[in-house]
């Protein structure tokens, strides 16, 4: 694996002019929502006397998906003609670029900036991951990204790799594609206001320096300035492998926003946008979901609601990420004034077009002018040629590896896009992990839901033919290449782990594990916390769990370190690692399927919901 060729600064300096051009003759199915005003009494017209109109085009959680994600995980929901929900396939960074161009053209006269709220890289398909996400950085530069916050997945390979993505240089192990033209870093700033080196939190507030810049100031042609504060969830250590964040501290989001909003204010920057990689669930499931107009029943369900309610009124709007759920909401600030909080869908499936005015006299945002529209990147959208050339260049380099057949399936096997917490693909992967770690004594396997990144679709996405699973498709499902750890848990500990799906950190948002065929249990969601697990129903190989007996359990390295709130797994003993999750998955597909005998989707009936 190698790095990307150098991208010349001269070419990228011209991007601002080029991205304002509309693609001649391009057409796409665009789905608009009525403009959402941050004011309770309607939306003021932008660009009036003494005002400068601004456009922010916002994305988040791309995860290196340069291509559209196949299957349900790559779809968005919209209302059909009779009000019913229907799914529409969406995504593809080249199509996203086309629609961003069109949005900029529609906003002619406004100052347009493109921003992101983290997780633009990490957990990526082979097309990007084979080159340590340098293809995604180049594609984002080409489509005109101006600034991004870091997300938790920007730390998948640790802080030093993040610094390399920002500043450039050859990968320390895999080198560069051309040693004479090393990777030159991102031409957009990464912001990490609340990410501190361990120990820095003990220093005085003024001496606490984050590992990357806390904010970025954009000066508009008329002299107006906009400050962008970028930060990630303080829970990053629980959703990234602990070894990658052990030398970092993730400070409280509200405290961080307040600090830097005050600093920007002292520098005379009155228009402030927070790019926060923390999210929530909206009241509706459509890609154009809105909220904040009908009281408590119309709120965001998650931490960003509280952050937005508590953070400094000096911040004028929030662009968020992390939950992958699209929304455009109005949330009151501590002064009781409404402000927009938005998020786009993950994987490049949608983007948000935010508009507002800056008062030229005060330099501040006119809150009553703020509004947002959501746009779906439907797969019938033409591909923007500049970005498409970048994608195809990298595809050619990884094609031989990506196109290798590794297995056969008889139908779609839903994973990330499955409607229920237990997924057919999760069942298949955990069965593969048990098979791969039998030599370490594995009796059962557990997998975090977030470890399944996509679906397996029967219909061919390339030239491989229907029902063929390629290495690239398997990699998209299991992109982290985590070591598998087989450990000893007592029966009592195993029950504690299963209770932690619904308690502790996971009480508000259950983290239902994917489980191998040896394990069965029932859940009653009418109960609360750990009591949701019906302990007397837990069976291993058909037998009730014996609290005094030891079991050999396989999990990935992330879970073994207590990730996603499963702290009991850190107590597992007699640990052994004999393979990695991707290798286990591909070997299982190779050994258990053929064109004549493809794998059928598991029934996903190991957990019973009462």
């Amino acid at each position: 694996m190698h790095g990307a060729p150098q991208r010349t600064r001269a070419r990228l300096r011209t991007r601002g002019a080029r991205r304002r051009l509309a693609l001649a003759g391009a057409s796409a199915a665009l789905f608009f929502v009525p403009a959402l005003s941050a004011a309770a009494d309607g939306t003021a017209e932008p660009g009036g006397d003494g005002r400068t109109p601004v456009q922010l085009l916002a994305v988040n959680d791309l995860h290196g998906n340069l291509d559209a994600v196949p299957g349900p995980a790559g779809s968005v929901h919209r209302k059909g003609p009779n009000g019913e929900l229907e799914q529409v396939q969406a995504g593809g960074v080249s199509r996203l670029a086309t629609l961003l161009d069109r949005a900029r053209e529609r906003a002619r006269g406004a100052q347009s900036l493109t921003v992101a709220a983290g997780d633009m890289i990490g957990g990526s398909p082979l097309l990007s991951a084979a080159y340590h996400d340098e293809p995604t950085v180049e594609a984002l530069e080409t489509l005109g990204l101006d600034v991004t916050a870091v997300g938790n997945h920007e730390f998948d390979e640790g802080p030093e790799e993040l610094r390399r993505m920002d500043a450039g240089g050859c990968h320390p192990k895999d080198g560069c594609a051309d040693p004479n033209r090393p990777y030159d870093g991102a031409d957009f700033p990464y912001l990490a206001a609340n990410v501190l080196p361990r120990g820095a939190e003990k220093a005085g507030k003024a001496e606490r320096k984050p590992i990357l810049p806390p904010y970025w100031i954009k000066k508009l042609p008329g002299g107006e300035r906009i400050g962008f504060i970028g930060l990630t969830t303080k829970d990053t250590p629980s959703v990234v492998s602990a070894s990658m964040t052990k030398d970092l501290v993730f400070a409280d989001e509200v405290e961080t926003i307040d600090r830097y909003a005050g600093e920007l204010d002292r520098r005379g920057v009155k228009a402030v946008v927070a790019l926060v990689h923390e999210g929530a669930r909206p009241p509706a499931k459509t890609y154009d979901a809105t909220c904040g107009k009908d009281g408590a029943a119309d709120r965001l369900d998650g931490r960003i609601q509280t952050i937005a309610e508590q953070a400094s009124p000096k911040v004028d709007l929030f662009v968020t990420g992390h939950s992958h759920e699209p929304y455009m909401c109005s949330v009151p600030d501590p002064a009781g004034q409404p402000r927009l909080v938005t998020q786009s869908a993950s994987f490049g499936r949608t983007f948000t077009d935010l508009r507002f005015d800056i008062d030229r006299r005060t330099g501040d945002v006119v809150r009553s002018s703020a509004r947002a529209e959501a746009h779906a990147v439907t797969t019938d959208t033409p591909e923007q040629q500049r970005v498409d050339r970048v994608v195809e260049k990298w595809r050619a380099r990884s094609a031989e590896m990506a196109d290798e057949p590794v297995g056969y399936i008889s139908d779609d096997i839903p994973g990330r896009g499955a409607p229920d917490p237990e997924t057919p693909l999760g069942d298949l992967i955990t069965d593969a992990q048990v098979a791969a770690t039998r030599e370490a004594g594995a009796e059962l396997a557990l997998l975090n839901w977030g470890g399944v990144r996509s679906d397996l679709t029967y219909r061919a996405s390339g030239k491989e033919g229907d029902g063929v699973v390629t290495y690239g498709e398997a990699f998209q499902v299991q992109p982290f290449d985590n070591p598998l750890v087989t450990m000893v848990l007592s029966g009592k500990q195993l029950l504690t782990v299963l209770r932690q799906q619904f308690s502790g950190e996971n009480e508000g948002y259950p983290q239902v594990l994917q489980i191998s065929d040896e394990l069965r249990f029932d859940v009653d969601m009418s109960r609360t916390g750990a009591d949701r697990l019906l302990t007397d129903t837990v069976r291993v190989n058909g037998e009730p769990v014996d609290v005094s007996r030891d079991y050999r359990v396989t999990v990935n390295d992330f879970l073994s370190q207590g990730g996603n709130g499963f702290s009991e797994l850190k107590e597992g003993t007699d640990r052994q690692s004999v393979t990695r999750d991707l290798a286990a998955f591909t070997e299982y597909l190779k050994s258990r399927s053929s064109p004549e005998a493809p794998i059928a989707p598991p029934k996903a009936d190991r957990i019973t919901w009462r």
Side-chain angles (χ1 to χ4, degrees):
M1 294 185 288
H2 304 284
Q6 185 180 28
R7 287 165 302 283
T8 65
R9 303 284 174 175
R11 173 177 66 80
L12 290 162
R13 279 195 296 270
T14 66
R15 74 181 184 185
R18 289 187 311 205
R19 72 186 187 187
R20 288 190 293 269
L21 299 177
L23 268 139
S27 62
L30 298 179
F31 309 105
F32 294 93
V33 297
L36 174 67
S37 172
D41 57 352
T43 301
E45 287 298 317
D49 292 342
R51 297 183 181 185
T52 296
V54 176
Q55 176 188 58
L56 295 186
L57 301 174
V59 292
N60 53 271
D61 296 277
L62 180 66
H63 290 287
N65 281 284
L66 302 181
D67 290 328
V69 175
S75 67
V76 293
H77 288 93
R78 67 180 179 188
K79 286 186 178 179
N82 298 318
E84 74 283 3
L85 286 182
E86 60 183 22
Q87 287 185 315
V88 181
Q89 292 302 122
V93 71
S94 302
R95 300 184 187 102
L96 172 63
T98 293
L99 297 185
L100 293 179
D101 278 347
R102 291 179 178 177
R104 294 171 186 130
E105 181 67 14
R106 289 194 303 273
R108 188 180 295 276
Q111 302 298 319
S112 183
L113 296 167
T114 303
V115 303
D119 275 11
M120 301 303 283
I121 59 175
S124 305
L126 185 67
L127 174 58
S128 184
Y131 299 95
H132 299 284
D133 277 321
E134 292 172 24
T136 295
V137 171
E138 184 176 2
L140 292 172
E141 290 174 335
T142 306
L143 66 74
L145 184 63
D146 288 290
V147 62
T148 184
V150 298
N152 54 286
H153 280 286
E154 267 82 15
F155 295 93
D156 280 351
E157 295 187 53
E160 290 307 315
E161 175 64 3
L162 173 58
R163 290 188 182 99
R164 188 186 75 85
M165 299 307 297
D166 177 57
C170 296
H171 189 271
K173 292 184 179 179
D174 298 322
C176 295
D178 183 347
N180 298 314
R181 303 178 65 190
Y183 167 67
D184 64 352
D187 270 5
F188 49 84
Y190 277 100
L191 306 179
N194 69 328
V195 186
L196 309 174
R198 186 164 294 281
E201 75 279 9
K202 300 177 183 178
K205 186 174 290 188
E207 287 75 40
R208 296 176 190 173
K209 304 295 184 184
I211 65 168
L212 290 170
Y215 57 77
W216 176 67
I217 299 172
K218 173 65 177 178
K219 186 175 182 179
L220 303 181
E224 303 87 355
R225 293 183 296 169
I226 307 175
F228 294 88
I229 304 169
L231 60 156
T232 186
T233 172
K234 69 178 182 180
D235 295 334
T236 291
S238 69
V239 291
V240 174
S241 178
S243 62
M244 296 301 168
T245 58
K246 62 183 176 62
D247 296 323
L248 301 173
V249 172
F250 295 82
D252 180 78
E253 301 93 344
V254 173
E255 178 184 321
T256 301
I257 292 168
D258 288 356
R259 174 188 176 183
Y260 290 112
E263 186 170 315
L264 287 166
D265 184 66
R266 291 189 293 274
R267 295 185 62 176
V269 179
K270 306 299 181 181
V272 180
V273 177
L275 308 175
V276 187
H277 192 72
E278 180 59 88
R281 298 174 183 173
K285 293 184 178 181
T286 58
Y287 78 85
D288 51 4
T290 63
C291 63
K293 296 174 290 183
D294 299 323
D298 196 22
R299 290 163 49 93
L300 289 167
D301 181 15
R303 291 190 62 241
I304 197 62
Q305 174 82 25
T306 303
I307 293 169
E309 288 173 339
Q310 297 179 353
S312 171
K314 293 181 173 67
V315 176
D316 296 292
L317 63 152
F318 282 75
V319 174
T320 74
H322 192 46
S323 64
H324 295 201
E325 302 273 5
Y327 48 76
M328 299 172 292
C329 294
S330 177
V331 177
D333 69 17
Q337 297 301 308
R339 58 183 168 192
L340 277 175
V341 179
T342 71
Q343 183 174 160
S344 301
S346 60
F347 306 159
R349 292 174 292 158
T350 74
F351 70 94
T352 311
D353 185 343
L354 297 100
R355 309 287 184 91
F356 57 87
D357 291 348
I358 294 179
D359 186 314
R360 297 188 191 118
R361 181 180 60 84
T362 65
D364 206 350
V365 170
V366 179
R367 288 272 188 100
S368 62
S369 70
R371 68 225 194 271
E373 292 178 345
H375 300 261
V377 184
T378 53
T379 53
D380 57 356
T381 304
E383 294 172 330
Q384 192 225 61
Q385 293 305 302
R386 296 191 307 276
V387 173
D388 191 52
R389 283 193 291 270
V390 172
V391 174
E392 292 307 317
K393 174 185 71 175
W394 290 103
R395 192 190 314 283
R397 295 184 180 188
S398 59
E400 183 176 355
M401 186 192 319
D403 294 343
E404 176 192 354
V406 295
Y408 303 87
I409 56 177
S410 64
D411 203 346
D412 291 349
I413 305 181
R416 190 71 173 218
D420 299 314
E422 182 190 353
T423 71
L425 190 50
D427 286 1
L428 179 63
I429 293 169
T430 49
D431 288 350
Q433 293 181 353
V434 171
T437 56
R438 287 287 189 198
E439 64 182 278
E443 298 175 76
L444 61 102
L446 309 172
L447 173 66
N448 53 306
W449 185 88
V452 183
R453 304 300 294 183
S454 185
D455 307 304
L456 283 183
T457 56
Y458 177 80
R459 186 175 179 180
S461 59
K463 301 177 181 179
E464 71 273 13
D466 291 347
V468 179
V469 180
T470 65
Y471 181 77
E473 291 167 339
F475 190 103
Q476 187 166 27
V477 170
Q478 292 270 270
F480 298 115
D481 200 27
N482 274 317
L484 293 178
V485 179
T486 304
M487 63 177 68
V488 170
L489 293 177
S490 69
K492 181 180 179 180
Q493 287 178 307
L494 177 59
L495 292 177
T496 298
V497 170
L498 297 179
R499 291 188 185 104
Q500 286 179 335
Q501 296 175 103
F502 312 104
S503 60
E505 293 180 19
N506 299 325
E507 183 157 2
Y509 295 95
Q511 290 280 346
V512 178
L513 292 165
Q514 309 300 291
I515 59 175
S516 62
D517 193 42
E518 295 78 12
L519 184 61
R520 295 286 191 280
F521 58 83
D522 293 5
V523 172
D524 184 350
M525 291 301 289
S526 69
R527 301 187 179 194
T528 59
D531 289 340
R532 288 173 167 172
L533 177 76
L534 302 182
T535 306
D536 60 354
T537 68
V538 181
R539 299 286 190 275
V540 176
N541 288 318
E543 297 295 327
V545 169
D546 183 344
V547 295
S548 62
R549 191 205 134 176
D550 287 342
Y551 295 87
R552 294 286 287 172
V553 180
T554 294
V555 297
N556 60 37
D557 181 62
F558 167 69
L559 280 179
S560 78
Q561 299 178 55
N564 279 158
F566 291 97
S567 57
E568 189 66 26
L569 288 171
K570 292 191 293 184
E571 307 304 317
T573 60
D574 192 15
R575 295 173 177 239
Q576 187 176 355
S577 182
V578 296
T579 188
R580 306 177 84 89
D581 54 9
L582 178 60
F585 187 43
T586 55
E587 287 303 315
Y588 191 83
L589 292 170
K590 289 178 181 178
S591 64
R592 304 295 179 101
S593 68
S594 67
E596 297 76 27
I599 291 175
K603 295 180 180 179
D605 58 359
R606 299 167 186 181
I607 302 174
T608 299
W609 300 85
R610 294 189 183 180

